[in-house]
Amino acid sequence: MISLVSEAGPDAGDDLPGTLSDELRAELIAFRRDLHMHPELGNQEFRTTAAIKARLERAGLAPRVLASGTGLVCDVGEWDGGVPMLGMRADIDALPIPDAKVGVPYRSTVPDRAHACGHDVHTTVLLGAGLVLAELHAQGRLPRPVRLLFQPAEEVLPGGAADAIKCGALEGVGRMIAVHCDPKVDAGRIGLRTGAITSACDRLEIALDGPGGHTARPHLTTDLVTAVAKVATEVPAVISRRVDARSGLSVTWGRIESGHACNVIPMRAELAGTVRCLDLDAWRDAPDLIHAAVAGIAELHGAKSQINYIRGVPPVVNDQAVVELMAGAMAARRGAHSIEDTEQSLGGEDFSWYLEHVPGAMARLGVRTPGDTAKRDLHRGDFDADESAITVGVELFTAAALLDARG
């Protein structure tokens, strides 16, 4: 049995239950550390899925593993087909990078795998919220059922959200909420924004081909090293002049590869990167613009180009009413002073796919230890989170569920 204590914030009434006991808080920290030590990549989260499922079943819930084999959906309470439920989503996958942290007992035990984006925190927050809401339901204090969605493969474009939707994750759901760790925001606070809070993100892979030869006679070859260098530098420059600068359309390379010997002009060159965009209309136009720019530059250098443009995710566009719900929930738990405005980032998030179907909002969950001056960022091997943020996230979710039921 979970003990529910009343620790409402200064703006809250006495009738808003759903905060955490010390016992549950300690359990959730241990759960997060276990996930952190055993990170799994997208669509491979079998151990993670099993751990979540087992704990929800211990609480008397009936989680359903998605048809894809990882991730799961779990309702707290039974939906009667009436007023749609509030959905809460967490992503459960890790990244293919080594854990570079030192001096912590929960460092990843899996080579070249790490929870360097905070998905272990997101998962633990949603699990904790599910456990608290399950106890409230057992006590007859949960006015309306809630949908928990533990989603796989967020880091795998175009994201596991599309598969979850195909599996029926949104059936009966009227609104969606989520959080994402932010190492620039102090633990105990959240960042909120109405409108776009992330950018669109696509993947771009380009191959250039042509006859190689001796570096002493480049005029008899297609100099693919020069050609790929021109594509790498000029495509971003050309694109920046073809769209409104306010759209934030950005092409950034992560890999360039060509050749094996210093005196041989190769027959093939490859580069790959991402396309990010703040504006939805510019994102829709981006593939045609980039195809034309790459083809034109390659042709100028006598190279044949092959372009693989992989659609990723649109921006996450926060609904104003759902932002207000999350703001009210946070104010009830921690006071209005715990909420700050946040900017739109160039990061991509497949939570956006849910918002193509239902209104919703994502909040930035502060995970920086107050007073910590070190510069930390997501997708780095040294990323870590102040674990007090787990309590904040759980109480935010539970308050949102209760306030949503009040209309």
Side-chain angles (χ1 to χ4, degrees), residues 162-205:
D163 288 336
I165 293 169
K166 291 177 183 176
C167 290
L170 289 183
E171 293 176 7
V173 172
R175 302 202 282 184
M176 288 285 289
I177 62 173
V179 295
H180 198 295
C181 290
D182 191 335
K184 300 185 295 297
V185 177
D186 282 350
R189 301 176 64 83
I190 64 168
L192 287 173
R193 176 186 178 89
T194 298
I197 191 172
T198 69
S199 80
C201 180
D202 300 330
R203 190 165 77 239
L204 180 61
E205 299 171 348

Side-chain angles (χ1 to χ4, degrees), residues 127-185:
L127 174 66
L131 297 177
V132 172
L133 292 172
E135 183 64 19
L136 290 177
H137 176 65
Q139 298 172 358
R141 302 167 75 190
L142 182 64
R144 187 181 299 166
V146 174
R147 167 74 49 80
L148 313 177
L149 171 56
F150 296 87
Q151 179 211 300
E154 189 276 331
E155 298 288 354
V156 182
L157 289 179
D163 288 336
I165 293 169
K166 291 177 183 176
C167 290
L170 289 183
E171 293 176 7
V173 172
R175 302 202 282 184
M176 288 285 289
I177 62 173
V179 295
H180 198 295
C181 290
D182 191 335
K184 300 185 295 297
V185 177

Side-chain angles (χ1 to χ4, degrees), residues 6-17 331-333 403 406:
S6 178
E7 299 173 356
D11 296 349
D14 294 333
D15 60 341
L16 192 67
R333 295 300 193 200
L403 294 178
R406 295 178 180 180

Side-chain angles (χ1 to χ4, degrees), residues 2 24 28 55-56 59-61 74-77 88 123-138 142 146-150 393-395 397-398 401:
I2 298 170
L24 180 56
L28 293 177
R55 185 59 185 93
L56 291 172
L61 298 173
C74 182
D75 291 346
V76 183
M88 302 175 173
T123 300
T124 305
V125 164
L126 185 57
L127 174 66
L131 297 177
V132 172
L133 292 172
E135 183 64 19
L136 290 177
H137 176 65
L142 182 64
V146 174
R147 167 74 49 80
L148 313 177
L149 171 56
F150 296 87
V394 171
E395 295 185 352
F397 274 6
T398 56

Side-chain angles (χ1 to χ4, degrees), residues 28-302:
L28 293 177
I29 289 174
F31 189 90
R32 179 258 170 173
R33 293 186 176 189
D34 179 71
L35 294 184
H36 202 87
M37 293 172 66
H38 302 92
E40 297 174 302
L41 299 184
N43 296 315
Q44 302 173 23
E45 312 96 330
F46 297 103
R47 182 185 186 277
T48 303
T49 298
I52 300 166
K53 182 174 183 288
R55 185 59 185 93
L56 291 172
E57 288 176 339
R58 281 174 49 203
L61 298 173
R64 309 181 299 279
V65 176
L66 298 178
S68 57
T70 62
L72 47 85
V73 169
C74 182
D75 291 346
V76 183
E78 185 175 351
W79 185 54
D80 60 5
V83 178
M85 294 178 284
L86 177 68
M88 302 175 173
R89 174 269 202 172
D91 36 15
I92 66 176
D93 57 326
L95 286 162
I97 63 176
D99 192 336
K101 292 189 296 299
V102 294
V104 296
Y106 48 85
R107 190 170 181 267
S108 173
T109 61
V110 184
D112 299 321
R113 302 287 186 269
H115 269 294
C117 200
H119 294 188
D120 55 332
V121 175
H122 307 164
T123 300
T124 305
V125 164
L126 185 57
L127 174 66
L131 297 177
V132 172
L133 292 172
E135 183 64 19
L136 290 177
H137 176 65
Q139 298 172 358
R141 302 167 75 190
L142 182 64
R144 187 181 299 166
V146 174
R147 167 74 49 80
L148 313 177
L149 171 56
F150 296 87
Q151 179 211 300
E154 189 276 331
E155 298 288 354
V156 182
L157 289 179
D163 288 336
I165 293 169
K166 291 177 183 176
C167 290
L170 289 183
E171 293 176 7
V173 172
R175 302 202 282 184
M176 288 285 289
I177 62 173
V179 295
H180 198 295
C181 290
D182 191 335
K184 300 185 295 297
V185 177
D186 282 350
R189 301 176 64 83
I190 64 168
L192 287 173
R193 176 186 178 89
T194 298
I197 191 172
T198 69
S199 80
C201 180
D202 300 330
R203 190 165 77 239
L204 180 61
E205 299 171 348
I206 299 170
L208 302 180
D209 294 287
H214 202 294
T215 56
R217 292 175 288 279
H219 60 290
L220 300 179
T221 73
T222 294
D223 187 352
L224 289 183
V225 173
T226 297
V228 77
K230 289 294 186 179
V231 169
T233 56
E234 293 184 13
V235 166
V238 168
I239 293 303
S240 72
R241 295 299 183 266
R242 298 284 177 86
V243 297
D244 190 326
R246 292 170 296 183
S247 71
L249 182 60
S250 171
V251 179
T252 306
W253 309 109
R255 182 179 70 87
I256 299 179
E257 186 174 344
S258 184
H260 301 282
C262 66
N263 61 345
V264 177
I265 294 176
M267 299 174 64
R268 187 175 182 86
E270 298 177 350
L271 67 165
T274 59
V275 180
R276 300 179 187 272
C277 189
L278 302 175
D279 178 76
L280 193 57
D281 290 334
W283 176 67
R284 290 173 176 146
D285 293 338
D288 290 340
L289 292 172
I290 290 171
H291 271 82
V294 172
I297 295 168
E299 183 179 0
L300 183 64
H301 291 271

